Amino acid sequence: SQQGEEDPQALSIQEGENATMNCSYKTSINNLQWYRQNSGRGLVHLILIRSNEREKHSGRLRVTLDTSKKSSSLLITASRAADTASYFCATDAIGGSSNTGKLIFGQGTTLQVKP
Amino acid sequence: DAGVIQSPRHEVTEMGQEVTLRCKPISGHDYLFWYRQTMMRGLELLIYFNNNVPIDDSGMPEDRFSAKMPNASFSTLKIQPSEPRDSAVYFCASSSTRHLDNEQFFGPGTRLTVL
């Protein structure tokens, strides 16, 4: 089955450092998305990268996509204590040639940023 | 827009009781998703609807779980009878086919504890 797998499962860094999280998936995609989940809250969409894109930026976030390796990375630069959260990648589930409408989420990376 | 609304936010019940979780998607969204999140199993898709019709319920754990969407603005997830292993956070999310990227908007979740 198409399943995003994040690496590492947990990451602890000091404020100001960069945090890099990786995601691998198994099948063809139209796009890959990253979501953030603060403790006790629902997931919030951060950024989307399409299959024909290789890199995308949004503020302190940088996402890369390598469709040949079926992998993506999320870089958070100059991290802050408020970035402490879990981060999930999600891929759209292509059913044949059609868009099924659903996303396949990975297991997530738990990021702790120490002040 | 108020976003996806879920109720109750917390539910504590005893084994064997019926539990009903409620969700109001974002107005105009035509996809609705029910997820379950636990430490052990991560985020699991239980069922999703398109235009009020169930599309894929393969994630529903067993017959004790049922979901309905009687209209575009309301859905329920029912567990009858509930068991301690059903304890989890249940999320509802919605999305729109007008947004071809399948970005999902999550509710705050219902934390269910079955004693």
Side-chain angles (χ1 to χ4, degrees), chain B residues 1-3 7 9 16-17 22 28 33 43 58 75 79 84 87 98 104 110 114:
Chain B
D1 198 322
S7 66
R9 292 293 310 277
Q17 296 298 305
R22 298 174 176 79
F33 306 83
L43 190 67
S58 60
S75 177
I79 308 173
S87 297
R98 288 174 298 178
Q104 292 185 12
T110 295
V114 183

Side-chain angles (χ1 to χ4, degrees), chain A residues 11-20 60 75-84 111-115:
Chain A
L11 181 61
S12 181
I13 60 174
Q14 293 294 135
E15 206 166 28
E17 294 180 341
N18 295 342
T20 300
R60 294 184 295 110
L75 169 67
I76 303 174
T77 60
S79 64
R80 305 166 181 168
D83 295 328
T84 294
L111 172 66
Q112 181 185 28
V113 181
K114 300 176 183 176

